[in-house]
Amino acid sequence: MKETFTIVVFTENKIGLLNRISAQFTQRHINIESLTASESEYPGIHRFTIVINEDEEKTRKVVKQIEKQVEVLKAYCFKDSETVHSEIALYKIKMDPSLDRPKLDNVLITHGAFVQEQVGSFMIIAKTGTKEETHQLFEDLYPFGLQGFVRSGRVSLSNTMSTFKTYLQALETHSKEIITDNF
């Protein structure tokens, strides 16, 4: 049975790695729903957050293949219930005299959204939330003459204590033991 998985991959920042990681999904005919890459909380280590909708066995196999890449330090997969996740969405609305501003403000308050910036004759509205929440605001803003819309990929953190930090500490201890044993 297919379900949503968030795959988190910690890597070195190397040219071409994104291509090799995405190729793992292509080879298995797995569609990537969203992909976000950024620096992690650890200096020199980057984090990819990849969302897919697939069965668990196929997901675990692709994670194992990703971990075989030399520059990949560790990869994890999580079910939605195991993470806290969010996206950011921006909406562009034209400010013309017919705009019912009180009604628009009520929609923004209801959705926890805000006007991030007014640029010329447009306003940019921002909202963070799940894909479903940002999509619902899209539907509610459409009657106001929505001129543009963009949504980021998912960012997420596991809702348990950091397993990657523990992994890094064990790796560092193991490296010191190897160096000590060889000299």
Side-chain angles (χ1 to χ4, degrees), residues 128-143:
T128 57
T130 64
K131 181 178 180 180
E132 293 76 20
E133 292 169 339
T134 58
H135 181 74
Q136 185 58 54
L137 181 56
F138 173 88
E139 296 287 333
D140 291 351
L141 288 178
Y142 196 79

Side-chain angles (χ1 to χ4, degrees), residues 3-84:
E3 59 185 303
T4 301
F5 287 94
T6 301
I7 298 171
V8 177
V9 184
F10 291 94
T11 72
E12 297 175 20
N13 187 18
K14 297 291 184 183
I15 294 171
L17 184 57
L18 174 59
N19 186 40
R20 284 185 273 130
I21 289 174
S22 65
Q24 298 299 322
F25 295 93
T26 303
Q27 291 168 0
R28 288 158 186 78
H29 303 283
I30 299 173
N31 187 43
I32 295 174
E33 300 292 331
S34 81
L35 186 150
T36 308
S38 66
E39 292 180 25
S40 74
E41 63 272 37
Y42 307 102
I45 298 175
H46 280 63
R47 171 196 298 253
F48 291 82
T49 304
I50 304 163
V51 178
I52 63 171
N53 189 22
E54 193 50 72
D55 66 63
E56 188 166 356
E57 182 182 348
K58 206 169 181 180
T59 301
R60 297 209 181 276
K61 284 181 180 176
V62 77
V63 168
K64 285 181 181 176
Q65 291 303 313
I66 290 170
E67 282 193 312
K68 291 181 179 178
Q69 300 293 319
V70 173
E71 298 90 351
V72 171
L73 301 171
K74 188 71 180 161
Y76 301 93
C77 73
F78 300 99
K79 295 179 178 180
D80 274 356
S81 62
E82 299 170 321
T83 68
V84 176

Side-chain angles (χ1 to χ4, degrees), residues 88-95 101 104 108 113-127 141 146-150:
I88 185 168
L90 300 176
Y91 311 80
K92 184 189 286 185
I93 300 284
K94 186 173 184 179
M95 295 185 305
R101 188 61 194 256
L104 175 64
L108 299 183
F114 63 93
V115 176
Q116 181 164 332
E117 195 167 330
Q118 293 186 7
V119 183
S121 61
F122 293 95
M123 70 174 70
I124 304 296
I125 296 167
K127 171 165 179 55
L141 288 178
L146 190 65
Q147 301 291 312
F149 169 73
V150 64

